[in-house]
Amino acid sequence: MRSSRDPGGLAAVPVTIAWGTRDVVLWHRAQSRRARKVLPGARDVDMPGCGHLPFSDDPALCADVARTTTGSA
């Protein structure tokens, strides 16, 4: 069984992790630091003013992050 800290196949897949800077469920600073340790090659994006559900806080920013991630920006 693989450890939860082992990214497995994700290490070879482009990953973007977007964090709401006002998220009170997954605290931005602590969780982003933890994610960078597990997936050091991931693109880390701050979403200023967004909470745990950034899609409702800033739909345009979410769409921009998705378009940039997929290369359709």
Side-chain angles (χ1 to χ4, degrees):
M1 178 175 220
R2 192 168 49 215
S3 163
S4 63
R5 295 180 186 259
D6 177 5
L10 284 179
V13 175
V15 174
T16 296
I17 305 173
W19 301 97
T21 59
R22 297 186 69 209
D23 190 337
V24 296
V25 176
L26 297 173
W27 290 6
H28 170 257
R29 290 192 191 276
Q31 293 301 324
S32 64
R33 185 172 41 251
R34 185 177 183 186
R36 282 192 296 272
K37 286 180 185 176
V38 175
L39 294 169
R43 179 173 161 246
D44 195 47
V45 177
D46 290 343
M47 300 182 77
C50 292
H52 190 67
L53 301 172
F55 312 104
S56 59
D57 294 329
D58 193 339
L61 179 56
C62 288
D64 288 344
V65 169
R67 281 193 294 267
T68 300
T69 298
T70 62
S72 60

